[in-house]
Amino acid sequence: YGGIMSITGSPGGEPVRVGYSVSDLAAGLYGALAITGALRVRDKVGRGQYLDVSMFDCQVAFMENAIARYFATGEIPGPLGNRHPSIAPFQAFKSQTGYFTLTASTDEQFNNLCDAVGLAHVKNDKRLSTKRDRVRNVALINELFGKIFAEKPKEYWLELLERHKIPCGPINDVKEVVESPQVQARGMIVEFDHEKAGRIKMAGSPIKASLTPLFAQCAPPLLGQDTDSILSQLGYNLEEIEAFKAEGDI
């Protein structure tokens, strides 16, 4: 309904769902931002306010690039696969050992890329001389560079591209992500003992705060596990909480 599936997937292919619940997560993030702003306003003017954050609105907000392109050109954006709508090359390429991504968003980066992969003569091709030309002739880029990248493993290309200061990275699967040194160094996988599931692993908090560090303190609670504690913190006594339960309010 919000349009995201119309621009996700391969050109000419079926609409594709994003691989995780992007609208749910977006609403949580925008909601937290709205609450933070409202608290600041309350501290200054002494008044609270009603906040309205919908998943649909958040999806429309996340469509900012596609919507801006539509209003600027009058053309309805469609799926582009793994490439960027206004930069080329900015996409995934297939190697002998799987896919990796790279971007050469400036003339300097594109020239460095050509030198790195042995296509120095391409720098003088008038069809690829400017950023706009490269976007217009992305099929030619795919043909030239795709053939080269298919000849060797992605590990070789990533090391070479990094040496030439070309932004790049592997397309990791979930196993590769959770086992990566960066994820380990950032503490992005946490472990807990769960009452029913036993020892579990899950993603940690991406927020690193120097004064108020955020970290998960326990496994996800069972339904209603913290009800008594939360109501007690809100000022209700044990008798009132039991009355709520008896009346079916909680």
Side-chain angles (χ1 to χ4, degrees):
Y1 194 61
I4 193 169
M5 288 180 67
S6 76
I7 61 172
T8 304
S10 299
E14 296 181 355
V16 176
R17 175 188 179 273
V18 177
Y20 53 88
S21 301
V22 60
S23 297
D24 302 67
L25 296 171
L29 293 170
Y30 277 118
L33 180 62
I35 292 169
T36 302
L39 289 172
R40 291 287 290 163
V41 172
R42 184 200 64 182
D43 292 343
K44 287 192 172 185
V45 303
R47 294 179 59 190
Q49 57 185 298
Y50 178 79
L51 302 174
D52 180 353
V53 178
S54 81
M55 288 195 294
F56 171 70
D57 292 351
C58 292
Q59 189 176 108
V60 173
F62 271 24
M63 291 276 288
E64 44 81 35
N65 184 284
I67 290 174
R69 283 186 284 126
Y70 169 70
F71 283 126
T73 66
E75 298 177 1
I76 301 174
L80 297 174
N82 292 310
R83 73 176 183 87
H84 193 279
S86 55
I87 301 174
F90 189 135
Q91 63 195 79
F93 286 98
K94 188 176 183 179
S95 74
Q96 284 183 340
T97 56
Y99 289 87
F100 67 95
T101 63
L102 70 84
T103 176
S105 56
T106 67
D107 292 338
E108 180 182 8
Q109 286 180 340
F110 182 71
N111 290 339
N112 288 344
L113 174 63
C114 292
D115 290 335
V117 302
L119 293 175
H121 64 281
V122 173
K123 294 187 295 183
N124 300 318
D125 191 321
K126 293 183 177 180
R127 295 172 294 177
L128 304 174
S129 59
T130 69
K131 181 177 179 179
R132 181 170 294 183
D133 291 331
R134 291 191 288 274
V135 172
R136 186 181 297 116
N137 294 296
V138 66
L140 177 59
I141 288 178
N142 291 341
E143 178 184 349
L144 293 172
F145 290 90
K147 182 179 179 180
I148 292 289
F149 290 136
E151 295 175 353
K152 294 182 179 180
K154 66 180 180 181
E155 294 79 10
Y156 170 84
W157 294 119
L158 293 173
E159 189 277 331
L160 178 69
L161 295 172
E162 287 178 359
R163 269 197 286 119
H164 285 78
K165 303 187 185 308
I166 305 299
C168 60
I171 295 182
N172 290 327
D173 60 27
V174 175
K175 181 177 184 294
E176 290 169 326
V177 170
V178 300
E179 293 179 354
S180 72
Q182 182 69 2
V183 165
Q184 300 300 322
R186 297 288 289 174
M188 283 305 300
I189 300 298
V190 294
E191 293 188 58
F192 296 107
D193 289 317
H194 190 274
E195 184 175 328
K196 289 189 175 181
R199 191 69 175 172
I200 62 172
K201 293 183 179 181
M202 54 190 290
S205 171
I207 300 174
K208 318 299 180 186
S210 60
L211 294 180
T212 55
L214 297 177
F215 58 91
Q217 299 179 351
C218 62
L222 300 174
L223 182 63
Q225 178 177 317
D226 299 318
T227 299
D228 290 2
S229 174
I230 292 173
L231 290 177
S232 296
Q233 293 176 34
L234 293 174
Y236 295 99
N237 59 43
L238 183 58
E239 291 183 356
E240 291 172 318
I241 295 173
E242 292 302 323
F244 288 150
K245 293 180 179 179
E247 294 170 5
D249 294 330
I250 57 174

